[in-house]
Amino acid sequence: MADYKQGEMDITVQEKTFEGFVKMVTWGACISIGVLVFLAIFNS
């Protein structure tokens, strides 16, 4: 722990994982909204 210096850790994997998570949530929200609009239009 003595060798640790703030800001030197490689976080590229974490950034890619977070980017994928944000994309997944965005797509999921868009699909959910699309389904709700479809149901509202066709009175299901």
Side-chain angles (χ1 to χ4, degrees):
M1 195 71 174
D3 295 335
Y4 174 75
K5 293 183 182 175
Q6 188 172 356
E8 290 186 354
M9 190 171 92
D10 182 22
I11 59 168
T12 54
V13 173
Q14 288 89 342
E15 288 175 342
K16 287 182 181 180
T17 302
F18 182 71
E19 182 181 337
F21 173 76
V22 170
K23 283 183 182 180
M24 179 186 67
V25 169
T26 302
W27 274 103
C30 290
I31 290 171
S32 297
I33 290 169
V35 168
L36 289 173
V37 169
F38 176 81
L39 290 174
I41 290 173
F42 293 103
N43 274 336
S44 294

